[in-house]
Every structure is written in C-alpha cells, then in structure tokens.
Amino acid sequence: MKRENFQAFWLALKEREESILATKGEEYTQQSENRLSNFFRSAEECGVSPLQVCYIMLKKQVDALGSYAKIGRCFSQESVLERVSDVRNYALFFAAIAKELEDHHAKV
C-alpha cells in the first residue's frame, strides 16, 4: 500500500473509531459523565478489577482477529475492520483505566 493510500486508510479508520466511541459511549455509560463507568460498574458486579473487565473485552476482539488470521473470514456480522477498531478502542480504554487507577492510588 502506497504511503498516501495508507494515510487515507488510517484517517478513515480513525474517524470510524471516533464514531464508534461516540455512539457506543452513550449506550455503555448509561448517561454517566465518566466514560469508564461501565468497566467499574461491571467490575464491582463481578468481583474483579476494571482492568480485568476491559482485558476480557479486548481479548474477545483479539481472539476474533486470530480466528480471522487463521481462517480468513469473520463468523459474525462484524467485519475485520470493526474488530480492529474495537481492539484499538479497548486498548485506549485499558490505558485510561490504568491511568485513572494510578491517579487514584497516588491521591491515597
């Protein structure tokens, strides 16, 4: 892929990820101001850490990409680009949760 094609592809993927974050963010946060609230809420309900919740969700997407790499097709309605976008977004959430937890521990 030529440099200019790669740049255009990357920008389109980035726009898609931002759209997903905006759309799903409203659904998952249940109108909370905290964009990470669903991870903390699920963690409390399940007795695990918010990082573990996020990791499980991230791993699900990575596993789907692994299956795609082996078999060459997706088995759900989600395309490979949607899976990649989800991986990138969950990695962002993971980093944000880690920062929030580090900031909280620094205050204690």
Side-chain angles (χ1 to χ4, degrees):
M1 184 180 289
K2 291 185 177 183
R3 184 179 310 211
E4 59 272 7
N5 293 345
F6 183 83
Q7 183 71 12
F9 176 78
W10 176 72
L11 289 173
L13 189 62
K14 185 177 162 191
E15 283 180 27
R16 174 191 203 110
E17 290 162 5
E18 289 172 355
S19 174
I20 290 168
L21 281 173
T23 304
K24 289 186 178 180
E26 290 299 317
E27 178 182 347
Y28 293 145
T29 59
Q30 299 178 2
Q31 282 96 28
S32 171
E33 287 294 314
N34 184 346
R35 289 299 306 262
L36 307 174
S37 64
N38 60 319
F39 297 102
F40 284 84
R41 187 177 54 255
S42 294
E44 187 173 326
E45 290 171 7
C46 296
V48 297
S49 77
L51 282 174
Q52 289 170 316
V53 171
C54 188
Y55 173 76
I56 290 166
M57 296 170 97
L58 172 62
K59 184 161 180 359
K60 174 185 170 277
Q61 301 300 332
V62 170
D63 287 349
L65 290 178
S67 179
Y68 181 86
K70 275 185 178 176
I71 299 166
R73 70 182 189 92
C74 293
F75 289 93
S76 73
Q77 300 292 7
E78 291 186 64
S79 71
V80 68
L81 289 179
E82 288 172 314
R83 297 287 188 173
V84 168
S85 293
D86 284 342
V87 165
R88 289 170 45 98
N89 283 338
Y90 281 120
L92 171 64
F93 285 130
F94 192 93
I97 293 165
K99 179 172 179 11
E100 182 125 329
L101 292 172
E102 289 169 4
D103 290 350
H104 175 73
H105 290 304
K107 291 178 185 176
V108 177

